[in-house]
Amino acid sequence: MANLSQNQNVVDMKRARQLSTVDPKKLSIFLWGETEWEARQRILSILSNDPIFDKSRRPFLTRTQLYTRGLAMMSRIHELTEQHQWSSDDVALAFKILDEPLPIQLHMAAFEPVLKSQGSRELHAKYAALVAHRGILGCYLQTELAHGTNVAALETTATYLPATREFELHTPTPTAAKWWIGALGRTATHGVVQARLVLPSGRDAGPHLFFVQLRSLEDHRTLPGITIGDIGPKAMGGYAAVDNGFARFERVRIPKEQMLSAFAGVTDEGEYVRPPHAKLSYGGMLYIRSSMVSSAGWTIARAATIAIRYATVRRQGTRREDGLEQQVITYPSVYHRLLPILGRAYVFILLGRNLSTAFTALLARLSTGDTSLLPAMHATTAGLKVLASTTAIADLETARRSMGGHGFSAFAGVGRLYADYVPAATYEGDNFVLDTQVVRAALKAFARVASSAPAPGAVGEFAPNEAYLRRLADGGAGNAGSGNSVSTDSWGNPRSVVALLERRAACMVRERAAHAADPDASMDQRVARAVTDAFVAAQVGEVIDGLEGSVGGKEAAVLRKLYALHLLTTVESGLADVLSFGLLGEAGPAEDPSRGLRVAIKRLCEELLPEAIGLSDGFGFSDWELDSALGVYDGNAYETLYKMAQLEPLNESEAPEGYEKYIKPMLERGQRLAGAKL
Amino acid sequence: MANLSQNQNVVDMKRARQLSTVDPKKLSIFLWGETEWEARQRILSILSNDPIFDKSRRPFLTRTQLYTRGLAMMSRIHELTEQHQWSSDDVALAFKILDEPLPIQLHMAAFEPVLKSQGSRELHAKYAALVAHRGILGCYLQTELAHGTNVAALETTATYLPATREFELHTPTPTAAKWWIGALGRTATHGVVQARLVLPSGRDAGPHLFFVQLRSLEDHRTLPGITIGDIGPKAMGGYAAVDNGFARFERVRIPKEQMLSAFAGVTDEGEYVRPPHAKLSYGGMLYIRSSMVSSAGWTIARAATIAIRYATVRRQGTRREDGLEQQVITYPSVYHRLLPILGRAYVFILLGRNLSTAFTALLARLSTGDTSLLPAMHATTAGLKVLASTTAIADLETARRSMGGHGFSAFAGVGRLYADYVPAATYEGDNFVLDTQVVRAALKAFARVASSAPAPGAVGEFAPNEAYLRRLADGGAGNAGSGNSVSTDSWGNPRSVVALLERRAACMVRERAAHAADPDASMDQRVARAVTDAFVAAQVGEVIDGLEGSVGGKEAAVLRKLYALHLLTTVESGLADVLSFGLLGEAGPAEDPSRGLRVAIKRLCEELLPEAIGLSDGFGFSDWELDSALGVYDGNAYETLYKMAQLEPLNESEAPEGYEKYIKPMLERGQRLAGAKL
């Protein structure tokens, strides 16, 4: 019986792979693109065979050890880069393949781009090669102890001193200490500091950027006038290998040339030189936010792979005729949680690629001084950042919890993903603050449409992020009569579901405008979600239309269902709003108009169920990447879990460290008090 | 400016306390009861002044160190118990005051009660005093590596051997290893094991309980035939101080007397003796589940206190005339998240006390062999366990995220609560499995009501957990016409909101019965929630009615609003269902029937806002208990955060451990590649 029960896991996984009709490799290429997929496999094989990147002791390391291990990995990738002549895309891919945040990512994602886009040519000429080759290591110092969301309120000052052509950086109050700065704590040698530019006239020109050396390149000691430290551990052990730090500046002087002056500067005498367009500097933030969509997708993909694999081999419930319990994935309450997550990963990954393309177009326009695309891109990326991070966080936890008790083991691997991912709701713009920006843009667009009353069907007048407003014109949002309510049959038609989600967004924006003086307390959140859902739905509709051409074959048929499931579950999660505006037709105690939707979701799930393993294999993760006992490729979850537990340091001695000091005296005292000695 | 900005936190907190009209001490006594409040203060003062319970180094300890520290705390409480002659209630209170799970809690919550309720008189006589005084330390071995939810499928066997009057405990397969057993890994000396009773006839009588010694009382070595270890770290660092363990038994023999035979046993010859009522043994599980309601309340209370205090002193946004930014708690998107959480804490704490009373009544009946109250209690506690744990987990994360970036610092203190609390969704019955049990009970009750067609208004016929079914009889669920839909004014009347929630539950159960053959995939979850929401709402309605008598004065007026807010936000979170059944009247694109509800919530929040600090002070937590930089009583959040960060071990040396080995070579290599040396 020992072997039978053991191997059943493996048997179940093999059988599930046989049932699946999709070709995982074809899906991988669909998701990654052929070139990136090949680069990825090449780099993956190098990393996963190098002992520096071994993960087996990771769950037992202290934070200091995890930080040191992170340095070792950074340094090793630096060596490999030279050895294999990796391009910067290869290097980015290498860090993406690792499943944990490292200090160097701040150098790559924040320090380097901001220096490049906003530094003067001279500064660039001097430092670009050093930055690119990590001859210096950078960080980006914006947030302060008491100032995050509201950049305009930052307190750190950079006072221009014309006599010496220097800026004096200063931290005027304890709450002005820079805080949360990734890679500042113990790694970075240099930084770009956000500080209020104070002119000789006394005028405060608001936050600007300054390039500063923080530590000696000889011995890593902090330079005079600067106090730096690590801000301590993060919640749930997240971001352990990143040294988020604090810094205080005590009248630290830097040469005038170290202001990042591509868009704004001061003359030698201390006159302010205006930026040509204040918004030109937003590009970097937009880039980070838009890249968060695909990273949300890939993060969800990891959790979905693990949870679906474990639910496939895990059996619980009444024993059937063959003596086996039921596979957990076949329970409606399980597949109804996991399949939409799988779909969301596929959606966000493709959406992220579309965004990259859009972003490249934006940059080309910006370089010519044309900022016309900026507002739409800003609203779109803000909405998507909120949607992707909020749902990804929820999905990680849903996936973890779907695994029952073992989901709470560190060896399941999803808790670690959660702890590292959860700050995404707050960094790069708190989601609740971004919601209000999405709503502001939507109200502006609504006012424009309402006043100019475009001709029905004039779709061409709408930017993609405002396309849902055409529903105001086509009568769909104005009248929920039989012509517009969704009948049961239409759940099978993606176009009518997209239209429904657009109608919902249009109704909600109009309602928000009608109550501009007194919106309810959660309205902005719901409006922003509705607007972004509509945008994503339209994109998903286009992806569905293009599947035959992009992937074709059986894969196209299966993906069509997966994307359709995404549309339906989007309606399901926004059902309160959809019903509020009567968009499903009349409701009544005897007849639930949402029943048709829910049943359609169940049917789609049932059809997708045999494809779940194939679709998750399609992400292409190796066991080393997932580092999960429950998500191993061959399904051998329990044996792997057992093996991993044997490494726990507490198991090194039978009587633990505290036995003589605490347990034994307690037992003896207890026996004395009980009047018994065993 | 340094002092001004620093002290503003303290000024803001003082002002908030002045604005509040409630007396926190009066609220504390309302929540705890006078006797328990006094006991609590007495014990709190002892613990918080004892260096063994110091928390300042905790964020930096390894898991082994946290386990050892846990042993030290257990041992110290044991000493204090003898020294101060604490009662067992006092001891329970002491562990409750600590904010982390410890191995001894398994002894107290599982081992001791199960031995007491299911052991024979003889076994009890021999071990009761030892167990009570911790002369032995116990654990409860039920879950196996591949068997959790479905107890009937456990594999471990206890084969009776009449020749020697012994049981032979055996682990037949690798997947039958006991797993997740709290306090087993390195602490417990004894355990109660769930194992299938195998009789000499070969008959398998299913799982029964057996008392087993695991480790030597001399040197703590594992006894022959037993393999024990710790299962390793938990997700997000949760439950670090608990040694959840695994165990395998290799034909381990124990005397016949060690079967827990109060309800079932074997004769010397090996005949099975039937239990008088199989369900009598459910008492313990019901007790643990029902106690989870108040512990959910107190856990939410900690997070609510921290988040509300920080939102009160944190300022972000446009500077106002006085030069200060806006207090974060005054943003609708913030108070709309935090005040309902505050309300939920008050609800679950009181509900938990009511449940204790109901449980005492149940025990009295059970002791006479009367099991008539069991089914209702089972359904109620299952539903409440799901509701309390699911919402508490969500509330902890909502509170953490409301604090923006700093919420992700370990020093905020909420991430730790989350990591320790999150397994509550899975232990003591996976929430998704319990949902189906709630639904099964509801369908049974519905069938009974539907067939016997009770006279309208016959409320007396319904058990409290089925009271919502009276709405089937009073026409309310059958007809959502003008007479039953909720008008805007009625949001102010708790009774009509309770009635609405009962109508929703009745509609949903009827709908579930109508689609018994093909419920949608999330239906059981929604039905269970609706039924439990209705039960809680009715209880809250009664609490509101009794406030004048129970607390009186200004506090009664404020609590009335807080409990009313709970009712309204319950409707809000179930809005999709409420609207599905047309229970708010007609919906249409131009008129959103939920607007009245949402505005009523906003108004209530606005009225409660000045009371938020007073209401959270009412929980009575000390700074030592909360151990949160952001939730300090005096509001001095930023200074406290700064101080805590200075203790981070990474800050001990300027150049970190990996500098010479990793950072320096990388910088030098980078400078060489860049062709530059700085």
Side-chain angles (χ1 to χ4, degrees), chain B residues 28-298:
Chain B
S28 296
I29 290 169
F30 169 70
L31 290 168
W32 289 93
E34 189 138 15
T35 320
E36 202 181 352
W37 173 250
E38 275 164 17
R40 186 191 123 79
Q41 296 308 91
R42 175 169 46 83
I43 293 164
L44 176 60
S45 132
I46 293 168
L47 297 184
S48 59
N49 290 307
D50 187 321
I52 293 280
F53 303 99
D54 172 63
K55 301 176 182 178
S56 61
R57 304 293 314 171
R58 183 170 60 173
F60 316 115
L61 302 181
T62 64
R63 199 190 146 216
T64 299
Q65 291 168 331
L66 286 166
Y67 169 71
T68 307
R69 176 174 171 272
L71 293 181
M73 295 197 294
M74 273 165 56
S75 165
R76 183 69 185 136
I77 287 185
H78 201 237
E79 287 173 354
L80 291 169
T81 304
E82 189 181 6
Q83 188 181 328
H84 298 285
Q85 293 290 302
W86 282 347
S87 68
S88 63
D89 281 352
D90 287 339
V91 175
L93 208 47
F95 284 105
K96 188 172 163 182
I97 288 171
L98 298 181
D99 60 344
E100 58 198 303
L102 295 175
I104 191 78
Q105 280 147 344
L106 284 304
H107 178 101
M108 295 162 70
F111 179 72
E112 188 164 15
V114 85
L115 208 59
K116 198 167 171 179
S117 63
Q118 301 196 47
S120 66
R121 278 186 202 171
E122 297 70 28
L123 199 67
H124 204 241
K126 189 165 172 190
Y127 290 103
L130 276 166
V131 171
H133 291 290
R134 287 76 156 124
I136 62 177
L137 290 170
C139 61
Y140 178 67
L141 302 95
Q142 178 169 305
T143 315
E144 297 174 356
L145 182 51
H147 310 280
T149 306
N150 181 18
V151 176
L154 292 174
E155 294 183 76
T156 305
T157 52
T159 306
Y160 182 63
L161 309 171
T164 54
R165 293 184 67 256
E166 287 174 314
F167 291 102
E168 184 184 85
L169 278 176
H170 187 59
T171 303
T173 71
T175 52
K178 293 294 175 185
W179 205 267
W180 274 113
I181 313 306
L184 167 64
R186 280 301 174 256
T187 313
T189 60
H190 291 67
V192 169
V193 179
Q194 277 268 21
R196 320 189 68 79
L197 171 60
V198 180
L199 301 169
S201 64
R203 178 184 161 203
D204 176 342
H208 285 74
L209 298 171
F210 302 87
F211 177 82
V212 186
Q213 180 168 355
L214 301 168
R215 288 186 169 93
S216 153
L217 289 169
E218 290 308 313
D219 58 8
H220 216 58
R221 286 194 169 274
T222 308
L223 295 188
I226 310 181
T227 308
I228 295 182
D230 183 282
I231 63 162
K234 270 75 75 175
M236 302 171 272
Y239 266 68
V242 178
D243 53 329
N244 296 84
F246 64 85
R248 285 156 61 154
F249 297 94
E250 182 63 34
R251 308 197 181 281
V252 173
R253 295 198 177 184
I254 56 170
K256 177 171 178 288
E257 289 68 29
Q258 289 182 207
M259 178 174 180
L260 270 59
S261 56
F263 299 118
V266 289
T267 64
D268 283 358
E269 295 72 34
E271 294 290 315
Y272 188 57
V273 184
R274 286 195 161 282
H277 190 298
K279 288 177 179 163
L280 279 174
S281 59
Y282 284 11
M285 189 180 63
L286 294 191
Y287 173 72
I288 295 183
R289 284 189 193 153
S290 68
S291 74
M292 284 177 71
V293 176
S294 67
S295 72
W298 284 110

Side-chain angles (χ1 to χ4, degrees), chain A residues 516-527:
Chain A
D518 187 23
D520 70 66
S522 66
M523 196 166 201
D524 283 356
Q525 221 185 312
R526 287 177 292 122
V527 172

